[in-house]
Amino acid sequence: MKKYYILTCIAFTGLAVVLMSSSSGRPDDRTGAPGSVGNCGSCHSGGLQVTTVTIGVTEKGQTTPVTKYQPGKTYTVGLLIGGLSTTKGFQSTVLDASNNKTGTTANASAGAKIISTNGRDIASHSTPSSTGIWSYDWTAP
C-alpha cells in the first residue's frame, strides 16, 4: 500500500503547473503538496488556463509503466503538460505517507532542475517549454 501511495503522491500532490511568471522555476516549494507554500494559483490567476497533466513512471531504461516500486531501484518520472498556453512549467516532489521526502530525486532532463528546500527534493522547470515534456529519475528508498 505504501509503495502505491508514493506513486500516487507523484501524480496527486506532487505536481503544480506553473505557466510563465517564474520562467526559470520557483526557488521554493509550490507543488501544492501538503506542507508546500502554495501551488500554481499562488502566482497565476485569472484568464483561461486549461491544463492537462500526464505522468508516467517506468523503471529506468524500460518503457512499461509501473504502479508500485521496489526498494533501491531507479525509476524515470515523465511529465507531459498540455493545454492552451504556449509556454508551460511544473514542479513535482515525491513524499511518503507522512508527507516527508522519500527516495532520491536526480538527473532532471533538459529544461528542468532539482532543488532542495524545506527537507524536500523538488523537480522543477528551469526554462519554460513549448512542448511541456520533462523527466527526472527517482530512486526508491
Side-chain angles (χ1 to χ4, degrees):
M1 181 66 174
K2 259 187 185 179
K3 294 175 184 181
Y4 178 75
Y5 183 81
I6 289 172
L7 294 177
T8 302
C9 283
I10 293 170
F12 181 65
T13 62
L15 185 69
V17 178
V18 291
L19 299 174
M20 186 60 188
S21 70
S22 296
S23 62
S24 62
R26 297 282 310 180
D28 54 359
D29 180 352
R30 299 285 176 150
T31 62
S36 71
V37 296
N39 60 31
C40 56
S42 303
C43 298
H44 302 282
S45 62
L48 180 61
Q49 296 181 15
V50 178
T51 303
T52 59
V53 179
T54 304
I55 301 171
V57 180
T58 60
E59 189 174 329
K60 187 167 179 73
Q62 303 297 314
T63 59
T64 304
V66 298
T67 58
K68 58 185 176 179
Y69 73 82
Q70 293 180 1
K73 284 199 172 186
T74 299
Y75 298 88
T76 299
V77 178
L79 305 163
L80 172 60
I81 312 300
L84 300 176
S85 177
T86 57
T87 56
K88 298 158 184 74
F90 82 101
Q91 279 198 336
S92 176
T93 189
V94 183
L95 305 176
D96 64 15
S98 299
N99 298 321
N100 297 312
K101 169 191 164 186
T102 189
T104 304
T105 304
N107 301 323
S109 63
K113 62 185 176 182
I114 307 297
I115 59 172
S116 293
T117 182
N118 294 330
R120 293 180 176 178
D121 289 341
I122 309 294
S124 177
H125 69 282
S126 59
T127 58
S129 168
S130 60
T131 65
I133 299 172
W134 295 274
S135 66
Y136 61 91
D137 290 343
W138 176 73
T139 302

